[in-house]
Every structure is written in C-alpha cells, then in structure tokens.
Amino acid sequence: MSVVPAEVLPGAARADGNRADHGPDTEDGGRAVAVLGPRARLWPALAAVYRAQLSRARVARIPLLFVATFQSVGIMVLMRGVVDGGGEARAVVAGSSVLVVAFVALNLLAQYFGQLRASGGLDHYATLPVPPAAVVLGAAAAYASFTVPGTFVTAVVGSVLFQLPLTHLWILVAVVPLAGAALAGLGAALGLLAPRPELATLLGQLGMSAALLLGVLPPGRLPTFVQYARDLMPSTYGVEAFARTFGPDPDWAAVLLDLGVCAGVGVASLAVATWAYRRAAVR
Amino acid sequence: MCAVRDLTKTYPAVRGRRGTPGTPEVRATDGVRIDIRRGEIFGLLGPNGAGKTTLVRQLTGLMRPDRGSVEILGHDIVRHPERAARILAYLGQESTALDELTVSLAVETTGRLRGLDVRSARAERDAVLEELGLSALASRPLKKLSGGQRRLACFATALVGARPFLVLDEPTTGMDPVARRAVWGAVDRRRAEHATTVLLVTHNVIEAETVLDRVAVLDRGRVIACDTPSGLKEQVAGEVRLELVWRERAPLDVPEVAALRDRAVESGRRWSLRLAPEEARAAVAAVTGGAAFAALDDFTLATPSLEDVYLALGGSAGSVRGLVKT
Ligand SMILES: Nc1ncnc2c1ncn2[C@@H]1O[C@H](COP(=O)(O)OP(=O)(O)OP(=O)(O)O)[C@@H](O)[C@H]1O
Ligand SMILES: [Mg+2]
C-alpha cells in the first residue's frame, strides 16, 4: 500500500501553513468565535415534538389503542364474576382504566425509544439545539394524551357494568396526565437504557404486566410482599385517586394527596427519562 | 473554521457470547488532522469502513473522541458537544426519526427544533420544499416515499433554520440526477449567499470531482491524502488507464497479452491497467492488431480520474495497485 502523509501534500501545507495549532482561519487572520445559533426553548420545542408525535401516533397507533381498550373491557367483564361490588369493583374499574394508559405510555413508548436508539434515530434530535426534556416530555405527552379516549371508554363501560356512579369521571382529566407522566417517564427510561431494542420491548411488556397485576387485582386479595410492590408502581396512586371518587362521599383530601404523590412520581420518572436520553444521545 | 487535531476513537472489543465470536477493537479514526476553511466544500472520501461516519459523528458532538480536539468557529466541541447543534446542521447516513411524519411536518418540526418560531419555520419549510422540488410530495409520509425522495426530504430538514456549517453524510445516495442537481444547487446557493461551509462524505468520485473544493482521503481511520481534486490527480498524472474487455477470455497465447497480465487487475472479462503513455500506445497496438484482436470485445483509454487516485491511495481496499510512490 502506498501512503502519502497529509503533511507533504500541497493542499495540506496550504491549509495548515505556519498558523498556530488552534484558532480557526478567518479572513482577517484573527481568532473569531462565532455567535451560536438560537436554541429552541423548552415549551415551543415541546409543542413541536408533541405535534409531530401525535401525528405519528394517529397514523400508526389507533389499532393498538383499540386493543388496549378491548383488553381492559375484557378484564372487567372477567372480574365481574369474581368481585362482589363495593370497594373491589371500584378498584377493578379504576385499575382497568389506568391500564389503558400503561399499555400506551409504558409499553409502546418503551418500544418506540428502544427502536429510536437502536436505529440511530436519536442522532436527529441530538444534533438539534433542543432541551432533552422537550423530546422526552413531548413524546410522553403525545402518547399519554393519545390514551384519553380509551381511558374514558373503559371507565364508562366499567361504571355501567359495576353500577358505579358516572358523576366524578371528570377526575380522569387529572388522573390521565399524572399517571401518564409517571408511566411514560418509566417507559421512556426503560427504552433508552435497554442495551438492545428487544430488551426494551421486553421491559415494556413486563412493566405492562406489572401494571395489570398490581393495578387491576383488588389489593386486599394480594399477598403482603406484592402489596409492597404495588406501592412502588407509579400508576398505583392514580388508580387509588380514581377509585376513591366512585364512593358516595369521596374523601377529596385523600384524592388530592394521591394525585400529589402521582405528580411527584411523574416528575421523578420524567427526570430519570431525561437523564437516560442525555446518556443515550452522546456515546 | 473547523480544525481537527489528532482525533482518535477506538470502538471497544466486544466479548463473544456463547457460540458467537466476539469482535476485536476497531480504531475507527486514528490521529486525524484536517482543516476546513470558511465557504469551502470539503469532502471525505474513503472505502467502506474507513471511518468517515465515525469522524463526522465526533465533529457533530454525537460521539466523544478518546483523544484529540475539534474546534468549529472558535468553539471547542469536545468540551462543549452541545454547542455543535447551534453551529451546524447534520444529515446522518441513515435517519429514521422522521419516518412516520409527512415531508412537510418533518421539515417544519426540525425548523422549530432549530429555534425558529412557528411562522418562520413554516415560511422556511415552504421555501426549502419549493427549492428542492419537493412541494408535490409535501403531504406524503416519508415512509411511503422512494429511497431517493426520502433522502432528499431528509436533506431538506438539514437546510431549515440556516446554519453556517453543513455536515452531510452521503447526502445523495440513491438519488437520480435531477435530485442530485437540486442538492448541489441548494448547496451552491447557500455558499454564494451566506458563505456556508460544507463537509461532505461521499463515495461518488465523479461527484467529488465536480463539487468538492478539497478532499481528504481516509483509509482505516487515517487521512492518507488531502488536496484539491486536481491536485490529487496530479499524483497519477503521466499515467493513463487502459481498460480491456475480452470476448470470452484473454488470449494468453499472444506473448504481448501474457506480458500485460502481471500488471492488470482482472475482474471477469475485464482487465484494468495503468500504464505510462508510451507503454499504453504499445499495448493498444498489440491488442488491436494481430491475433489478440479477434478475442477483444472493447477497449477504452482514458486519462486518470479521481477514481484512479482513490483506488491508488486506498491501497488496502483498492484492486488496482498503488501508483503513488512513497
Ligand atoms: N458502533 C460500532 N461498534 C463497533 N465498531 C463500529 C461501530 N460503528 C462502526 N464500527 C467500525 O468502525 C469502522 C469505521 O466505521 P464507519 O461507520 O465510520 O465507516 P464509514 O467510513 O462511514 O463506512 P461507509 O462508507 O460504509 O459508511 C468500521 O470498521 C466499522 O466496522
Ligand atoms: Mg458511513
């Protein structure tokens, strides 16, 4: 093989000359530091990512939303023979509704980020001046808001099925985003941290199974250690808050407390997801 | 405006799992030093696996080098990789992040993420799509486009929210001549109007010859030459390339043909030779006259192109023996 060191070639000599080793060549020979281009601010960037992700989701995810809804409705029909109304019925309906959120926000988002990372798709975002939080939050918000119709349908069907009042279903307006944030953050983090996309998918499905087991089955019938695991599941507090509102005279302070915990878990899990994104973007 | 010094990156070895062999460590860039001037179209040329993508990923802050420095427009990109996004636009070798979006939304979203407000993102989107002749495809999802169309749409995303430095990894792969022309037209316009600098990875030597101001040839992670295309060609000047295509097989019973064989690179019926002009003249006379002519299907005689330089320099991968003497 023949090799010409770059230094001996005329072009290279012209390029380097006797200039100092650092400092870019400028017309006037001085050391110029370019003004940096604008940075995308958090909210506009988040809105842009949200809009783009929602349009993706519309095209590709609608059939999956049907699957998620049917699955939850099916579970409630099954559980009708098992639970005997009252508190257990509330837990089943609330759990099944939030399960729709878990399916989309945890399972599908973990898959999405796992594939994006493996296929080099993160490069696109990483070479744009966007705050990492905007990418993660935008995608999470799009996936979460995409679950709203399924959650409502499940909640209404469940309430009718178990003869629960529909009066306070509006609480879902708070439960979906908060549980959605917590689960989406967890899903995104799993997708971004998994070394391989198959593992991301697997982790998403496991998370989904956990949400099913811990969220839908009435807690009173679970062994103690599973009850502890239930307390660790980010969606649990959303389920509890929702379940409380079915009562004849809901304890609003407790509902608020549950939602507060849910919000706290959401912030923490989104922070972890943002950290995972940073880690995945620069290798 | 972009100075790269001693840039070194080694992909770590991967230990094999049961049954599958591991991969050894790969030094993908090895002490790379390049200088790119403002307003220049600078090319990176090299065989597959030479380390071109690894090099540009380090320039764009996507990958941390093991050693060395990258300075772009006065900013230290190794220490502040996040600044790269505010100086340059990058078109990756393959991009999948946008696949499910429509062309129009992909371009607009990228513009907004480059810091444009909604109104200017839309205005720039329309202008860029028009400029590249993509307006008719604007409402189609990228996934449903042909390979070349998709590539052009991705190129459009690199142009919104103008940056002084464009880093393009094989932008024109899969494109037809019309699309290529649109790409080079757009690049030229930005260079004329804003002195935009372009770093371009390419395999297409013909394209390299026509659009590049200077080119660095990369081989196994090292810069083995860096010059203008014509400067590089001077290295093989004084030689000509002779291509012979035989009807079935070479008539090795003809002594002149047998003598040429040692110097030829054979691929099927085709022989490729680089010869001094007088040798070439003798060789042509020998194969076009007498017994060899009956076996000859076609021949071409050409002055060396950048392709010859590429093959000559990329000796490890090239099939033609090196011409550049060390
Ligand atoms: N993620 C990776 N892990 C390990 N080795 C890698 C990785 N990416 C690339 N390599 C190796 O590093 C070397 C340089 O790869 P690189 O992608 O930079 O080549 P390239 O010049 O861009 O090639 P091409 O022309 O095919 O795009 C190759 O030997 C490749 O096998
Ligand atoms: Mg490459």
Side-chain angles (χ1 to χ4, degrees):
Chain A
M1 193 184 94
S2 317
V3 166
V4 177
E7 284 74 16
V8 308
L9 292 170
R14 257 200 331 265
D16 301 334
N18 300 326
R19 268 191 205 108
D21 240 7
H22 34 259
D25 24 20
T26 49
E27 274 66 40
D28 55 21
R31 188 185 159 87
V33 176
V35 184
L36 295 171
R39 203 200 298 266
R41 279 170 303 119
L42 178 67
W43 290 106
L46 198 155
V49 173
Y50 177 80
R51 186 164 160 244
Q53 290 287 355
L54 206 61
S55 92
R56 269 187 73 237
R58 249 203 316 267
V59 184
R61 307 285 175 260
I62 284 192
L64 288 171
L65 181 63
F66 273 104
V67 172
T69 312
F70 279 131
Q71 170 183 286
S72 285
V73 170
I75 288 169
M76 290 189 302
V77 170
L78 275 178
M79 295 298 286
R80 206 155 71 116
V82 182
V83 301
D84 44 4
E88 292 199 337
R90 290 176 208 157
V92 170
V93 174
S96 304
S97 304
V98 174
L99 187 63
V100 180
V101 182
F103 185 85
V104 177
L106 203 164
N107 189 10
L108 297 185
L109 200 59
Q111 273 183 43
Y112 170 69
F113 273 115
Q115 276 158 15
L116 195 65
R117 191 183 113 127
S119 65
L122 278 184
D123 287 4
H124 181 73
Y125 291 110
T127 49
L128 292 170
V130 264
V135 178
V136 172
L137 282 175
Y143 274 70
S145 63
F146 184 62
T147 67
V148 170
T151 315
F152 263 99
V153 168
T154 308
V156 169
V157 170
S159 302
V160 171
L161 216 55
F162 289 89
Q163 284 125 34
L164 297 174
L166 295 169
T167 344
H168 298 308
L169 280 195
W170 55 264
I171 193 76
L172 281 177
V173 173
V175 171
V176 172
L178 294 178
L183 291 166
L186 186 63
L190 291 178
L192 289 166
L193 292 174
R196 280 176 296 146
E198 311 86 86
L199 273 178
T201 305
L202 187 74
L203 289 174
Q205 307 246 336
L206 277 178
M208 167 74 195
S209 305
L212 179 78
L213 181 72
L214 306 175
V216 178
L217 300 182
R221 303 193 177 197
L222 299 172
T224 327
F225 77 94
V226 181
Q227 290 196 20
Y228 287 129
R230 189 173 178 277
D231 292 341
L232 291 175
M233 188 73 198
S235 55
T236 301
Y237 303 94
V239 174
E240 302 243 297
F242 184 26
R244 283 183 209 279
T245 65
F246 283 123
D249 182 21
D251 179 355
W252 292 110
V255 171
L256 262 173
L257 185 67
D258 277 335
L259 288 180
V261 174
C262 204
V265 176
V267 168
S269 98
L270 286 168
V272 171
T274 304
W275 166 81
Y277 170 89
R278 263 184 226 276
R279 207 190 83 118
V282 178
R283 271 171 289 166
Chain B
M1 74 139 254
C2 171
V4 176
R5 294 286 175 273
D6 190 31
L7 203 65
T8 302
K9 174 80 193 178
T10 307
Y11 289 110
V14 177
R15 239 184 320 142
R17 286 161 201 273
R18 248 167 295 152
T20 53
T23 51
E25 64 169 30
V26 178
R27 180 158 288 200
T29 56
D30 191 358
V32 168
R33 172 197 180 102
I34 47 176
D35 284 275
I36 303 171
R37 296 181 220 127
R38 192 169 138 87
E40 184 169 54
I41 302 187
F42 189 95
L44 283 178
L45 200 65
N48 292 130
K52 305 179 294 295
T53 298
T54 309
L55 175 57
V56 296
R57 284 175 55 86
Q58 292 172 84
L59 300 198
T60 51
L62 286 171
M63 195 181 264
R64 230 183 290 281
D66 298 337
R67 196 174 71 215
S69 68
V70 175
E71 196 174 278
I72 303 175
L73 287 166
H75 294 278
D76 180 347
I77 299 301
V78 177
R79 191 170 308 154
H80 307 285
E82 75 287 349
R83 288 189 192 168
R86 298 169 68 185
I87 304 174
L88 57 85
Y90 172 63
L91 175 63
Q93 190 165 5
E94 60 235 4
S95 36
T96 48
L98 306 167
D99 267 2
E100 281 159 301
L101 305 184
T102 61
V103 174
S104 150
L105 189 57
V107 175
E108 181 189 328
T109 305
T110 307
R112 293 197 60 190
L113 298 186
R114 234 176 237 129
L116 298 179
D117 60 42
V118 183
R119 186 183 308 203
S120 29
R122 292 200 175 143
E124 285 207 22
R125 170 198 71 191
D126 293 339
V128 166
L129 293 184
E130 183 69 44
E131 181 181 9
L132 296 178
L134 280 171
S135 302
L137 300 177
S139 58
R140 302 253 302 269
L142 260 81
K143 232 183 7 193
K144 305 239 164 87
L145 298 180
S146 76
Q149 290 171 334
R150 197 177 316 142
R151 202 70 191 133
L152 192 59
C154 290
F155 176 67
T157 65
L159 296 184
V160 278
R163 289 284 188 258
F165 189 27
L166 299 177
V167 179
L168 311 172
D169 197 345
E170 302 192 27
T172 57
T173 16
M175 286 190 192
D176 68 17
V178 178
R180 278 168 199 274
R181 216 174 267 234
V183 169
W184 300 128
V187 165
D188 267 342
R189 231 161 284 136
R190 275 156 190 76
R191 175 156 71 153
E193 287 164 20
H194 309 290
T196 303
T197 310
V198 181
L199 173 61
L200 176 78
V201 175
T202 183
H203 284 289
N204 187 331
V205 276
I206 303 176
E207 197 168 84
E209 217 163 329
T210 48
V211 303
L212 297 181
D213 296 318
R214 279 190 315 140
V215 54
V217 182
L218 218 64
D219 185 45
R220 287 193 264 176
R222 295 176 155 275
V223 176
I224 57 173
C226 178
D227 203 344
T228 59
S230 57
L232 282 179
K233 280 202 289 185
E234 272 167 27
Q235 296 177 27
V236 287
E239 309 258 350
V240 291
R241 181 161 60 143
L242 176 64
E243 301 264 353
L244 301 172
V245 185
W246 305 106
R247 281 184 198 284
E248 277 159 19
R249 73 184 83 81
L252 291 174
D253 44 335
V254 180
E256 289 94 332
V257 174
L260 285 175
R261 188 185 192 176
D262 302 338
R263 310 189 49 184
V265 174
E266 300 178 46
S267 51
R269 298 185 295 128
R270 180 182 294 271
W271 283 18
S272 199
L273 299 116
R274 265 203 300 271
L275 303 166
E278 58 281 8
E279 287 175 315
R281 209 173 301 124
V284 169
V287 297
T288 54
F293 190 61
L296 190 66
D297 187 19
D298 193 11
F299 78 94
T300 48
L301 197 59
T303 53
S305 66
L306 197 54
E307 181 160 2
D308 294 288
V309 183
Y310 177 72
L311 293 173
L313 289 169
S316 62
S319 50
V320 179
R321 257 164 302 144
L323 283 173
V324 181
K325 281 100 192 162
T326 42

